[in-house]
């Protein structure tokens, strides 16, 4: 390691060690090969132990390397060790038996490379490679270009790790002749030699490459002169750092260039200067100096130093290492200048980009992401996850069809361009603008969803205006009372067919460009199917097109006349069996919507009065049919909206078996606000919710959807029932919100069998006990949401196993003929009768579904007479058996993590969860959770494991601090624990308790265990 002054801990300067001559071999070593291998190994280790303690590190390494190569009959060997401050690099510090051309590519190699020394040092394991290959490149140096051209094929390469402090390790390498491979005993001997090396190395010594190889690296021997580094027009100070003494001198007072810096800092030497460097920048600054001294070259850095008032300024430092004739670093000469203004400008621009409302992404020439701001992170993912990735590999980008092709085509033009794309969520639109820059491209992302929504709303408003204009037309009493298209069909059939003696009626509507059958009377089903979709509004070979185009009724008195006008309709004439027709165009506001075709069973010529009547009726029929179509669409839309706002399916949970029913009020386009939900929570708990927004209509349905979404969101925060109702009360009671709602929120804990609940205006739930008795939960409901004054009251009750809960809205038990109390008594009676007739322990929710049907049919009137929406949620509770729960106290000591791992492994074995991946992952999760508590929290620590639909692990402590995942940089020593927990678990979170908090994780169980 290089110390702060760049010198060796044991010598006065950072001298470059010369390769020493091999030690004289002891008497008898010539015959050492005749000794048994194990005895021979022991002899060589005793020889190494005899090496003098005052030998320099490189001499020690070279002696050990020579013994190692000789013993395993290798071609030669090398020793690589990490540098003092340049992380991620291994230096060649000793070699034996290899020519300079062979060792030159190995002078500097990356720790994260694939070469055997890199892998051995990084993974702390012996690594064998049967065919020698160049190491991985490092910045500015390509070993493949230095590789010898006439190297024999098949040379083996074995590397063993040299242990070191912390995670910094080196490697001992030996090359073997083609076809030779070291035995297990030889590998063990090399491992022993590597351990001996580690023990003999001086912890503070500096190990440098040999001078021959260093000169080859720098393309020339001898001392180097410092190059002038300065920025034109910017004041700078030139300093000299004596590596032997650590002293600093400068050509001018430091305060003239670096305002506010202690004028006496130079007299304090390098350590006084290092004390001024910002703690976050110190590692990088030291690494920069260390690397420059190691490589005997120039280096440049930027860091912050502290002013006398405690603030910091940015400086740019550039320097060059000066060596003596032997290549030993003697001093460092460099310049310093104030770069605060430049850095402040860059930071200002960076902050602006980071927090701008539009997304901003910087891409290199290969479409890799270099930077993205917060708005872009919300679309693409966290910067730590996508930085450096190809734009096309980001899931959100990959999900947009054709986006890569459009982006590449736009970039190929070399001009800024943009286009709109729909986002994969199906609801959002974004405008992407690509701007070429010298280093690649910049991508601006603007949310245009509102603009697209406004356009859609504009089109919808125009369509609605045309429909409203059609509805104001005058219609007859019979058609005015018609609601649906079938009602219109019935009204026309009853009002037209009998007076005119018609035998059939067909109504056609325009769907797209096709004419489809809306309704039919007096015609065969075969004929109706044949006609459906047969004609189009642009087909001039059919009578309906003529009537719609001219807006004039068309009268055909015989089949012959029909065939003469429309010769391609012969099959329809014979299939229909009619003899005369009256085709009435149905148009509203100049828009053809279809036709009414009146059919006669005999040839017939209509008189003028009949034709006048039918002409007048065509407008009325069109108005009625248009209104009926609007009503049908609105009803379907309302029902679809209502169903979409409720759960599409209740979750299947081992702790609760649930079924539900929702019954809307009387037929119409208005929707209600009754809702229910079943929400899985942490620790196998389940939230059961039911609510009712007062009133009917789209606004109430929207409020209901917002409340249900808010409940699910608040449930993710692990809040108790009273706090959740408090937040809902704030939402409903916002200024300008003219709404009231009732809600009951309950949480069932299968471990304790306790149900905690709070109510805002909801009737009390009914509980059917396993013995058949039915009771209502004791409570005094708080006022409805929107008028209540928190806090709400949370109550608890203990539920026997397999209890049946019935949560309901007031529409189920209250009607115009029955008050709430009577309805609740009737509900209890029905539950008593039904539960006693049900199986003791139903295996699924089918019995509860049948019970829902029984209760709703008995309590609710006919659908058309229902004046209020009704919701019913049935839930049968199942406790978590004691054998599926394990809990232990842990000491407030770092050893708790190890104890937790042992407890986890033992418990999983007891549960027959022997999957090794599950065991290792669970151990790691629990270890991280306990470690975080030991480091950041306090108080009694407990570990709990639950086996339910998933494997749940909880670590509890007395702290109320909620942990949060944060972004970490490459140099941070901590902060990755929660990232690891998030990556390894299916879900995780924090739940506050009366005594502190619990951090929990969920993992899927192996398929065979579910």
């Amino acid at each position: 390691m290089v110390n702060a002054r760049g010198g060796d801990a044991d010598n006065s300067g950072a001298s470059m060690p010369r390769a020493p001559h091999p030690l004289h071999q002891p008497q008898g070593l010539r015959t050492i090969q005749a000794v048994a291998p194990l005895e021979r190994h022991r002899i060589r280790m005793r020889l190494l132990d005899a090496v003098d303690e005052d030998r320099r590190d490189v001499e020690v390494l070279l002696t050990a390397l020579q013994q190692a190569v000789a013993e395993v009959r290798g071609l030669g060997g090398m020793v690589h060790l990490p540098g003092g401050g340049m992380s991620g690099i291994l230096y060649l510090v000793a070699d034996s038996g290899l020519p300079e051309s062979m060792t030159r590519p190995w002078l500097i190699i990356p720790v994260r490379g694939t070469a055997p020394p890199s892998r051995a040092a990084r993974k702390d394991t012996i690594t064998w490679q049967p065919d020698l290959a160049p190491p991985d490149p490092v910045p500015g140096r390509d070993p493949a270009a230095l590789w010898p051209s006439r190297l024999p094929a098949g040379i083996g390469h074995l590397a063993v790790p040299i242990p070191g402090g912390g995670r910094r390790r080196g490697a001992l390498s030996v090359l073997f002749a083609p076809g030779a491979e070291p035995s297990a005993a030889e590998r063990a001997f090399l491992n022993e030699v590597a351990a001996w090396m580690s023990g003999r190395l001086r912890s503070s010594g500096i190990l440098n490459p040999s001078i021959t190889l260093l000169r080859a690296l720098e393309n020339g021997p001898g001392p180097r002169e410092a190059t002038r580094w300065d920025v034109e027009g910017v004041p700078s100070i030139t300093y000299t750092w004596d590596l032997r003494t650590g002293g600093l001198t400068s050509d001018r007072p430091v305060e003239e260039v670096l305002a506010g810096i202690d004028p006496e800092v130079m007299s304090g030497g390098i350590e006084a200067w290092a004390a001024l460097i910002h703690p976050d920048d110190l590692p990088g600054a030291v690494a920069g100096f260390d690397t420059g001294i190691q490589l005997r070259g120039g280096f440049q850095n930027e860091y912050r130093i502290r002013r006398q008032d405690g603030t910091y300024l940015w400086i740019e430092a550039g320097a060059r290492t000066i060596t003596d004739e032997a290549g030993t670093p003697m001093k460092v000469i460099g310049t310093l200048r104030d770069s605060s203004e430049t850095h402040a400008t860059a930071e200002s621009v960076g902050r602006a980009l980071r927090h701008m409302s539009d997304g901003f992404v910087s891409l290199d020439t290969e479409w890799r992401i270099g930077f993205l701001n917060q708005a872009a992170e919300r679309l693409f993912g966290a910067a730590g996850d996508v930085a450096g990735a190809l734009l096309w590999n980001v899931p959100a980008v990959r999900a947009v069809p054709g986006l890569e092709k459009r982006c590449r085509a736009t970039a190929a033009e070399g001009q800024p361009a943009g286009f709109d794309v729909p986002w994969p969520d199906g609801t959002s639109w974004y405008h992407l603008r690509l701007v070429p820059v010298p280093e690649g491209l910049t991508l601006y992302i603007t949310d245009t969803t509102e603009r697209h929504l406004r356009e859609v709303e504009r089109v919808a408003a125009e369509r609605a205006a045309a429909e409203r204009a059609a509805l104001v037309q005058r219609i007859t009493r019979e058609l005015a009372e018609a609601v649906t298209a079938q009602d219109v069909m019935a009204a026309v059939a009853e009002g037209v067919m009998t007076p005119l003696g018609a035998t059939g009626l067909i109504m056609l509507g325009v769907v797209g460009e096709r004419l489809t059958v809306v309704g039919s009377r007096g015609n065969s089903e075969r004929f109706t199917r044949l006609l459906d979709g047969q004609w189009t509004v642009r087909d001039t070979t059919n009578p309906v097109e003529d009537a719609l185009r001219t807006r004039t009724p068309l009268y055909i008195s015989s089949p012959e006349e029909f065939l003469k006008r429309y010769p391609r309709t012969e099959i329809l004439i014979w299939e229909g069996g009619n003899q005369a027709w009256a085709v009435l165009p149905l148009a509203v506001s100049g828009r053809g919507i279809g036709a009414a075709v009146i059919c006669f069973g005999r040839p017939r010529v209509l008189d003028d009065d009949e034709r006048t009547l039918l002409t007048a009726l065509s407008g009325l029929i069109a108005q009625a049919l248009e209104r009926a179509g609007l009503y049908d669409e609105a009803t379907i839309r309302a029902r679809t909206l209502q169903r979409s706002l409720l759960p599409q399916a209740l979750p299947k949970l081992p702790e609760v078996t649930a079924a539900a029913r929702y019954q809307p009020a009387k037929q119409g386009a208005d929707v209600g606000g009754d809702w229910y939900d079943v929400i899985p929570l942490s620790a196998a708990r389940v939230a059961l919710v039911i609510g009712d927004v007062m009133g009917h209509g789209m606004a109430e349905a929207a409020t209901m959807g917002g409340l249900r979404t808010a409940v699910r969101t608040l449930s993710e925060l692990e809040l108790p029932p009273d706090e959740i109702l408090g937040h809902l009360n704030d939402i409903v009671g916002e200024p300008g919100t003219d709404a009231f709602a009732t809600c009951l929120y309950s949480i069932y804990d299968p471990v304790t069998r306790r149900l905690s609940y709070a109510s805002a205006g909801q009737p009390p739930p009914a509980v059917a006990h396993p013995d058949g008795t039915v009771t209502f939960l004791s409570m005094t409901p708080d006022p409805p949401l929107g008028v209540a004054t928190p806090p709400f009251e949370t109550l608890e009750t203990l539920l026997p196993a397999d209890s049946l809960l019935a949560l309901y809205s007031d529409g189920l038990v209250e009607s115009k003929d029955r008050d709430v109390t009577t309805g609740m008594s009737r509900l209890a009676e029905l539950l008593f009768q039904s539960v006693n007739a049900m199986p003791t322990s139903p295996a699924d929710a089918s019995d509860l579904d049948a019970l829902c049907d029984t209760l709703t049919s008995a309590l609710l009137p006919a659908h058309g007479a229902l004046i209020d929406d009704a919701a019913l949620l049935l839930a049968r509770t199942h406790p978590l058996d004691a054998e599926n729960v394990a809990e232990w106290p842990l000491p407030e000591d770092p050893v708790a993590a190890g104890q937790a791992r042992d407890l986890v492994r033992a418990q999983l074995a007891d549960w027959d969860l022997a999957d090794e991946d599950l065991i290792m992952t669970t151990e790691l999760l629990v270890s991280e959770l306990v470690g975080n508590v030991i480091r950041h929290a306090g108080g009694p620590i407990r570990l709990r494991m639950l086996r339910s639909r998933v494997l749940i692990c909880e670590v509890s402590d007395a702290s109320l601090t909620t942990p949060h995942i944060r972004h970490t940089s490459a140099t941070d020593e901590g902060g990755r624990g929660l990232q690891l927990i998030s990556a390894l678990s299916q879900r995780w979170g924090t739940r506050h308790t009366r005594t502190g908090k619990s951090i929990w994780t969920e993992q899927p169980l192996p398929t065979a265990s579910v």
Side-chain angles (χ1 to χ4, degrees), residues 637-910:
R637 186 165 56 247
R639 294 289 176 256
T640 302
L641 173 62
Q642 182 77 62
R643 296 297 180 187
S644 66
L645 293 177
L646 293 172
Q648 301 302 303
L650 296 178
K652 296 181 180 179
L653 306 172
E655 299 81 17
V656 168
T657 304
R661 287 293 182 276
Y662 166 76
Q663 185 65 52
K666 63 183 179 181
Q667 184 177 9
D670 286 341
V671 293
D674 287 19
W675 56 283
Y676 57 86
D677 213 342
V678 177
I679 307 171
L681 303 177
S682 65
R685 301 173 307 140
V686 181
L688 305 171
V689 194
I690 195 163
D692 182 9
V693 178
M694 299 179 185
H696 292 82
M698 292 295 182
E700 285 73 15
T703 301
M704 179 265 280
L707 287 178
R708 178 170 176 254
T709 302
V711 166
R712 296 193 71 91
T713 302
L714 293 170
S715 297
E716 289 292 327
L717 300 179
E718 304 283 356
L719 299 178
D722 57 326
E723 292 189 26
I724 286 184
L725 291 187
H727 287 292
L728 295 181
N729 186 67
D730 294 339
I731 294 174
V732 177
E734 288 180 351
T737 303
D738 186 17
F740 302 96
T742 62
C743 181
L744 185 142
Y745 187 93
S746 61
I747 298 176
Y748 173 67
D749 189 338
V751 178
T752 63
R753 295 189 289 111
R754 289 194 172 275
L755 180 77
S756 58
Y757 57 96
S759 174
Q762 275 292 122
V767 181
H769 298 270
D771 60 3
T773 60
V774 178
T775 61
F776 290 91
L777 292 181
S778 174
M779 68 178 190
T780 302
D782 287 296
L785 301 174
V787 294
T789 302
F792 292 87
E793 182 182 14
T794 296
L795 301 173
E796 284 193 358
T797 187
L798 184 65
L799 295 178
D802 295 325
S803 296
L804 179 64
L805 277 170
L807 283 68
Y808 52 92
S809 64
D810 57 359
L812 183 73
V813 295
E814 185 181 23
S815 66
K816 62 182 179 179
D817 302 322
R818 184 179 62 207
D819 61 19
V820 174
T821 303
T822 305
M824 291 173 60
S825 299
R826 178 59 177 158
L827 172 62
E829 179 184 345
L830 292 170
L831 279 174
F832 177 81
Q833 296 172 357
S834 302
V835 169
N836 283 281
M838 290 175 64
T840 304
S841 299
D844 52 34
S846 59
D847 292 305
L848 294 186
D849 276 322
L851 180 57
C852 283
D853 293 335
T854 300
L855 296 177
T856 53
S857 60
L859 290 170
L860 299 178
H863 179 59
L866 188 61
I867 62 174
D868 191 13
D869 294 4
L872 171 64
L873 174 61
L874 297 180
R876 187 178 296 278
T877 62
H878 309 292
L880 195 61
D881 296 336
E883 64 182 16
N884 293 320
V885 180
E887 187 173 12
W888 309 273
L890 295 175
E892 295 182 51
D893 190 90
V895 300
Q899 293 182 13
R901 290 192 295 269
D902 295 338
L903 293 171
V904 165
R905 179 173 287 271
Q907 188 60 51
L908 292 179
D910 290 343

